Amino acid sequence: PLFLQVGLGYSAFAAGMMVLAHAGGDLGIKVVTTATLRRFGFRTVLIASAASFGVLFLGLAFADERTPQWIVIAILLLSGIVRSLQMTSISSMQFPDVPREKFSGAATFAALNQNVMRAVGIALAALVLNAASAWRGRDAPSVADFHVALALGALLSLAASVRYLSLPKDAGRHRS
């Protein structure tokens, strides 16, 4: 939302409405997630979703005030879809060897870990955004500074897709 408001100049309301596209993609794909995982397998879905998310983030890294709104909405919608596929795949594979009596504690720890990592990600993005602004000699971030942060996020997601290549071809089979 900050990129949409500060970087692209949308109002808070417009930015909020556009973020709904991301949530819509996230929710909309849920009805076919299980079938997708069964058809393509966890490894393939994880690789494809991480790579797609990285490419979509790169798309935002090239967006500016002149980018048509429908393109930004399409990127947000698609990123919601691939993010949902990735998070569902990861969540489904987290506990294959956890005994039933320890499942509650493992689920609590996983939820805590996810929230902490989300906060770390936001903090890193803010750090990169501020560093890019300072490097350009600005007090406030410009669209170019957001591009740096988005490009870094894209690279991290693309790196994750490479990491998923090391998963066995039948990873998660017991979960589908």
Side-chain angles (χ1 to χ4, degrees):
L2 189 61
F3 169 64
L4 296 173
Q5 289 175 265
V6 177
L8 300 185
Y10 293 118
S11 69
F13 178 77
M17 295 305 290
M18 290 176 76
V19 170
L20 282 177
H22 188 273
D26 189 341
L27 289 174
I29 194 68
K30 294 292 186 196
V31 291
V32 296
T33 298
T34 301
T36 302
L37 288 168
R38 285 186 179 146
R39 170 130 168 80
F40 298 105
F42 282 82
R43 180 179 183 266
T44 300
V45 170
L46 283 166
I47 292 166
S49 61
S52 298
F53 198 75
V55 168
L56 289 163
F57 250 54
L58 276 177
L60 285 180
F62 288 102
D64 61 22
E65 308 84 16
R66 298 176 309 251
T67 303
Q69 191 175 34
W70 71 268
I71 290 177
V72 176
I73 291 171
I75 290 171
L76 291 171
L77 176 73
L78 292 171
S79 68
I81 290 170
V82 296
R83 181 195 162 280
S84 181
L85 284 170
Q86 178 142 30
M87 296 307 291
T88 301
S89 300
I90 290 169
S91 295
S92 297
M93 290 180 57
Q94 282 181 332
F95 309 113
D97 301 324
V98 176
R100 187 171 285 290
E101 67 273 6
K102 294 186 178 181
F103 189 81
S104 177
T108 300
F109 179 75
L112 175 66
N113 184 54
Q114 186 177 14
N115 286 328
V116 168
M117 293 315 295
R118 183 177 294 128
V120 168
I122 291 169
L124 275 172
L127 179 69
V128 170
L129 183 61
N130 284 327
S133 297
W135 185 70
R136 294 181 195 282
R138 299 177 186 261
D139 292 333
S142 68
V143 70
D145 302 323
F146 282 98
H147 290 165
V148 172
L150 289 165
L152 179 62
L155 291 175
L156 290 173
S157 190
L158 291 169
S161 69
V162 172
R163 174 67 176 99
Y164 292 138
L165 288 170
S166 67
L167 288 172
K169 294 203 186 295
D170 66 345
R173 182 179 39 99
H174 60 285
R175 288 302 201 195
S176 60

